[in-house]
């Protein structure tokens, strides 16, 4: 057993602790952050745990500095992470775009709380789903994952880091005010088993330019200190990394940044389909809210309503194929005024209904049941 | 080959010469600062593979694009935290932030003060041309009171930062100021700073003839240089008042603070790791 | 005042394409061997010309190199 590593076994953890431990298990050794409810316990856990593993933890002066620092660290080869909540993501968005443009793998956790603005600091919200994708200027794709149990919050971190490294892209890791602070019992497998599944970023071949993509559209990543004289810039650039401020360079680069993700969307999509096979109404949900939805679906089934749940674990790129494949009606349950509702509507050929709450608490199973009764009339 | 010729040749190797001529205007002081910086690096015999240059956004921010080492042109104001991440992850590297006054002290001011306070092992080359050059010469946090810029058409009512004093108040171990006229002193200070550890600041008063000089009766590159030449006073133990810059007034230059052996953040974190590992 | 006689120590090469005609080199050369020329480079700037005569020779002080913001000057010392 290596020093500082967790033993296999059962642990009783909050989502924040699980996210931190999941990241560490997935190879994260660099964390920079600024505290904010309900994500602060991630920083606290990292401060405690990373030094035990020889890793680096730094509390920065703000979220802008935090994300800048992890992008810098990522260029040295670190699997680097920060965690925050909506107000912090708003501050990070400019540099999130820098990570997209310079193709730096990072993981950003957003423990969503009630919003807009300072909103409901300690309570759940799901209003940052669009922000996760469209927060920074420009047209780009990134990966957004959203677990719904504490076990999953731990397990999914491996995917978050792997996607970031494999596709050289920032990954938004959503949790919410409910998951962040809720405690559940979870099982941690032997760390060696997790480590076996770690995907490392590709390294450039001899003579390959820093932004020269392979066939998968992802350029292997050179690292600082290898004598490759890397140049990275947020300006539109050529394959050497040098600024090229022409419409042609913009077309080529921005298309590739989008397509390198969309080309692999099936690899990135993770969903849970619960009793959807014969369902006449499917509730689309995610995160903490999905726990109530599942219970609501169970209640409906007991009444003979053919209900099911499609839980999006990958939020972006949007798993549209899972909407298209069903001929059932959809209910989109979310804690905002209706965000993913619009995405579902874009692909559904059947009626789509809203089940919204502005945040602060999840729906009750009874509220879900009520909606299912209405829709299946 | 003489040492000067050798240095000049090595300087070419440290430049991305395929990208020259650079974007800076005729007589812009940024090139003089870069020239001095590269010479200091060569004299220090720093392994180019171990040198990283990080810039923000601005005319000075373009520096990262011309140095033939690992170099990053980041976002406006964020060069210091970006560099912090690199240095903290790889303490064996020499990490240099090369950026403009607006980038470092206005939009990036919070990062500057906090990184200075933590004493990260970073060398900061701050090119102070009294203005936001890149965006066309607006007033910034270093524009002298009374100066004319595109956003202070009646003269600047604002008051500029006293940058060396700010750094000293934060305990920065190396604080120097020169102008682009002082090509040798500037190079020597950077050379000295490269041999030290901790947060090191070299402020260079530099000319932006195109958008600052033009509006303040120093239209030609040479007239700005003459202003620096005639008005500079070397005074290492200058007071707060003496370090303040006034409109077309005296410029007090020198090495204002040189302290060795102040532990850096990176060193203090090594202790954190030691303690964490011993308790386990 | 008689011009002090210096020994010729170097020749100066100008990379004319890099020059932007700021003339710092011309101004700060202590022996005035760099002069503004009528030549024009591709970008329309007038690069300096290295012009020695009996009174004006290059003393290889390298100041012109230090002042050049455009990395356009090489001072080649005579062996
Ligand atoms: C977030 C953001 N705000 C504003 C700008 C526009 N901008 C670019 S450079 C700059 C000022 C640069 O001034 P300084 O750092 O002094 O550099 P200089 O050009 O004078 O060398 C500004 C305001 C930007 N790029 N990003
Ligand atoms: S605008 Fe000013 S600072 Fe920018 S390159 Fe021109 S002279 Fe230099
Ligand atoms: S080396 Fe000195 S003397 Fe020779 S041209 Fe340059 S500045 Fe003049
Ligand atoms: S200093 Fe350099 S750029 Fe300026 S005139 Fe001389 S050679 Fe040209
Ligand atoms: Mg400036």
């Amino acid at each position: 057993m290596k020093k500082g590593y967790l033993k296999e076994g059962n642990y009783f953890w909050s989502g924040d602790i699980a996210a931190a431990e999941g990241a560490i298990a997935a190879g994260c050794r660099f964390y920079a952050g600024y505290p904010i409810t309900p994500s602060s316990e991630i920083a606290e856990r990292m401060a405690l745990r990373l030094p035990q593993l020889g890793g680096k933890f730094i509390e920065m002066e703000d979220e802008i500095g935090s994300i800048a620092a992890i992008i810098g660290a990522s260029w040295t080869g670190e699997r680097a992470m920060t965690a925050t909540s909506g107000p912090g993501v708003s501050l990070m968005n400019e540099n999130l775009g820098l990570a997209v443009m310079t193709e730096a793998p990072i993981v950003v956790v957003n423990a969503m709380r009630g919003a807009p603005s300072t909103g409901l600091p300690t309570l759940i919200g799901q209003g940052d789903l669009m922000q996760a994708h469209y927060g920074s200027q420009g047209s780009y794709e990134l990966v957004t994952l959203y677990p719904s149990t504490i076990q999953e919050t731990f397990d999914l971190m491996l995917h978050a880091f792997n996607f970031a490294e494999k596709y050289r892209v920032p990954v938004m890791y959503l949790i919410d005010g409910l998951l962040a602070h809720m405690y559940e019992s979870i099982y941690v497998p032997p760390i060696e088993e997790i480590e076996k599944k770690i995907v490392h970023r590709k390294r450039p071949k001899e003579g390959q330019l820093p932004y020269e993509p392979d066939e998968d559209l992802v350029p292997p990543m050179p690292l600082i200190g290898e004598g490759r004289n890397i140049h990275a810039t947020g300006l539109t650039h050529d394959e050497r990394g040098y600024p090229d401020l022409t419409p042609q360079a913009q077309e080529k680069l921005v298309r590739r940044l989008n397509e390198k993700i969309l080309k692999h969307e099936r690899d990135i999509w993770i969903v849970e389909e619960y009793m959807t096979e014969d369902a006449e109404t499917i509730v689309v949900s995610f995160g903490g809210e999905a726990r109530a939805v599942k219970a609501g679906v169970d209640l409906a089934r007991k009444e003979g309503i053919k209900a099911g749940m499609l839980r999006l674990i990958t939020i972006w790129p949007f798993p549209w194929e899972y909407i298209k494949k069903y001929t059932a009606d959809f209910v989109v349950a979310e804690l905002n005024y209706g965000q993913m509702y619009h995405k579902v509507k874009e692909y559904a050929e059947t009626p789509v209904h809203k089940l919204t709450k502005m945040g602060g608490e999840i729906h009750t199973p009874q509220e879900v049941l009520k909606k299912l009764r209405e829709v299946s009339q | 080959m003489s040492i000067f010729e050798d240095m000049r040749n090595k300087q070419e190797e440290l430049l991305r010469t395929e990208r020259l001529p650079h974007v800076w205007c005729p007589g812009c002081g940024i090139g003089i600062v870069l020239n001095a910086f590269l010479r200091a690096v060569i004299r220090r015999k720093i392994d180019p593979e171990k040198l990283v240059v990080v810039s923000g956004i601005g005319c000075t921010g373009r520096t990262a694009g011309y140095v033939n080492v690992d170099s990053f042109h980041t976002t406006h104001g964020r060069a210091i935290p970006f560099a912090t991440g690199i240095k903290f992850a790889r303490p064996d590297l020499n990490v240099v932030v090369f950026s403009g006054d607006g980038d470092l002290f206005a939009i990036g001011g919070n990062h500057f003060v906090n990184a200075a306070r933590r004493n990260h092992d970073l060398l900061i080359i701050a090119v102070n041309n009294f203005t936001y050059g890149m965006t066309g010469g607006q007033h910034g946090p270093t524009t002298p009171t009374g100066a004319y810029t595109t956003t202070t058409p009646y003269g600047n009512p604002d008051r500029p930062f006293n940058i060396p004093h700010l750094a000293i108040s934060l305990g920065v171990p190396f604080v120097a100021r020169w102008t682009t006229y002082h090509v040798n002193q500037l190079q020597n200070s950077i050379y000295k700073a490269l041999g030290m550890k901790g947060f090191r600041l070299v402020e260079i008063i530099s000319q932006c003839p195109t958008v600052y000089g033009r509006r303040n009766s120093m239209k030609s590159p040479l007239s700005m240089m003459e202003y620096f030449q005639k008005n500079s006073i070397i005074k290492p133990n200058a007071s707060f008042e003496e370090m303040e810059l006034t409109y077309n007034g005296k410029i007090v230059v020198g090495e204002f603070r040189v302290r060795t052996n102040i532990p850096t953040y990176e060193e203090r974190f090594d202790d954190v790791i030691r303690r964490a590992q011993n308790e386990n | 005042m008689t011009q002090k006689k210096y020994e010729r120590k170097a020749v100066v090469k100008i990379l004319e394409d890099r020059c932007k005609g700021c003339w710092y080199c011309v101004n700060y050369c202590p022996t005035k061997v760099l002069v503004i020329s009528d030549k024009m480079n591709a970008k329309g700037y007038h690069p300096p010309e290295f012009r020695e005569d009996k009174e004006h020779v290059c003393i290889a002080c390298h100041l012109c190199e230090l002042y050049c913001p455009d990395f356009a000057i090489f001072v080649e010392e005579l062996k």
Side-chain angles (χ1 to χ4, degrees), chain A residues 215-217 258-267:
Chain A
E215 213 161 299
D216 62 0
L217 302 182
N258 282 272
E259 286 166 10
K260 75 170 179 183
I261 301 303
L262 296 180
K263 184 176 172 159
H264 302 284
E265 56 189 5
R266 287 179 185 80
D267 176 49

Side-chain angles (χ1 to χ4, degrees), chain B:
Chain B
M1 200 188 295
S2 83
I3 50 165
F4 293 109
E5 288 173 305
D6 185 47
M7 180 177 292
R8 183 68 187 84
N9 291 333
K10 288 193 171 127
Q11 194 182 36
E12 286 288 294
E13 286 166 27
L14 286 177
L15 286 163
R16 299 184 192 268
T17 48
E18 70 274 27
R19 299 202 64 226
L20 297 180
H22 51 54
V23 293
W24 299 314
C25 305
C28 174
I30 301 168
I32 300 176
V33 182
L34 177 57
N35 188 333
F37 167 70
L38 295 176
R39 285 166 189 266
V41 165
I42 294 159
R43 276 170 64 196
R44 263 292 159 211
K45 299 193 167 62
I46 289 174
D47 177 359
E49 292 195 10
K50 292 261 158 97
L51 177 64
V52 186
V53 174
V54 183
S55 296
I57 299 290
C59 294
T60 316
R62 287 301 193 96
T63 303
Y66 298 114
V67 288
N68 198 23
V69 297
D70 291 336
S71 54
F72 296 86
H73 180 226
T74 62
T75 43
H76 194 25
R78 317 307 168 195
I80 288 179
F82 194 100
T84 298
I86 295 171
K87 180 69 197 185
F88 191 30
R90 283 283 306 273
D92 60 312
L93 300 172
N94 293 294
V95 185
V96 177
V97 171
F98 203 122
S99 222
D101 51 321
D103 189 81
L104 291 168
F105 303 107
I107 192 166
N110 191 30
H111 305 306
F112 177 85
V113 294
N114 282 283
R117 174 181 60 76
R118 291 191 295 258
N119 198 27
H120 286 293
D121 191 19
L122 298 173
L123 170 60
I124 315 293
I125 307 282
V127 176
N128 179 359
N129 53 16
F130 306 135
T131 192
Y132 295 150
M134 174 129 277
T135 42
Q138 297 79 14
H139 124 283
T142 53
T143 308
T145 309
Y148 295 92
T149 71
T150 55
T151 50
T152 54
Y154 306 107
N156 180 22
D158 202 339
R159 181 184 168 187
F161 270 123
N162 183 333
I163 291 169
H165 197 273
L166 171 68
I168 290 167
S169 77
L170 296 162
V172 169
F174 185 86
V175 181
R177 174 198 275 159
W178 297 104
T179 77
T180 49
Y181 171 72
H182 302 90
V183 283
N184 282 306
Q185 293 96 325
L186 168 60
Q187 187 194 130
N188 289 340
S189 274
I190 298 176
Y191 173 76
K192 191 163 173 180
L194 283 169
M196 287 174 59
K197 66 172 189 183
F199 199 83
R200 293 145 287 158
L201 172 73
V202 181
E203 179 195 17
I204 303 99
I205 308 300
S206 176
Q207 62 275 52
C208 166
T210 310
V211 299
Y212 181 83
R214 183 156 68 97
R215 294 190 178 85
N216 293 281
S217 53
M218 290 178 286
K219 214 165 153 185
S220 73
L222 271 172
S223 59
M224 288 211 78
M225 205 61 134
E226 265 159 30
Y227 161 56
F228 297 161
Q229 181 178 358
K230 292 208 179 102
N231 290 281
S232 296
I233 302 169
I234 300 180
K235 193 164 187 204
N237 56 355
S239 67
F240 172 86
E241 285 77 11
E242 287 166 326
M243 282 178 203
E244 278 197 308
L245 294 173
T246 55
Y247 186 44
N248 294 345
K250 298 287 172 212
I251 303 171
V252 170
V253 294
E255 288 177 358
F256 301 121
R257 187 171 142 100
V258 184
R259 295 282 188 286
T260 49
N261 296 324
I262 303 177
T264 66
Y265 182 88
E266 291 72 25
E267 287 170 341
R268 281 181 269 121
F269 200 82
D270 277 344
D271 285 341
V272 168
I273 291 180
R274 224 167 289 131
R275 286 197 290 274
Q277 295 190 334
N278 288 341
E279 279 172 22
N280 260 262

Side-chain angles (χ1 to χ4, degrees), chain A residues 8 19 98 108 143 153 192 203 235 247 271 281 300-301 306 312 322-323 340 343 349 363 365 373:
Chain A
E8 177 197 359
L98 180 70
V108 177
V143 175
T153 302
E192 301 75 47
R203 308 307 321 290
L235 288 168
V271 301
T281 310
R301 281 276 170 179
K306 286 193 170 166
L312 307 182
Y322 290 89
I323 303 298
M340 295 318 274
K343 283 312 286 185
E349 277 145 24
H363 284 99
R373 280 186 193 139

Side-chain angles (χ1 to χ4, degrees), chain A residues 126 129 146 148 271-272 282-294 297 308-315 323 330-335 340 344 355 363 368:
Chain A
Q126 291 183 323
L129 303 170
Y146 191 0
S148 117
V271 301
E272 183 196 357
I282 294 176
V283 189
V284 179
S285 81
F286 23 77
E289 166 83 347
R291 304 164 73 98
V293 168
K294 200 176 226 175
V297 165
M309 175 184 76
L310 175 65
R311 180 164 71 89
L312 307 182
I313 300 167
T314 301
I315 305 289
I323 303 298
F330 288 99
V331 173
V332 186
E334 52 190 329
L335 304 176
M340 295 318 274
V344 175
L355 178 60
H363 284 99
V368 177

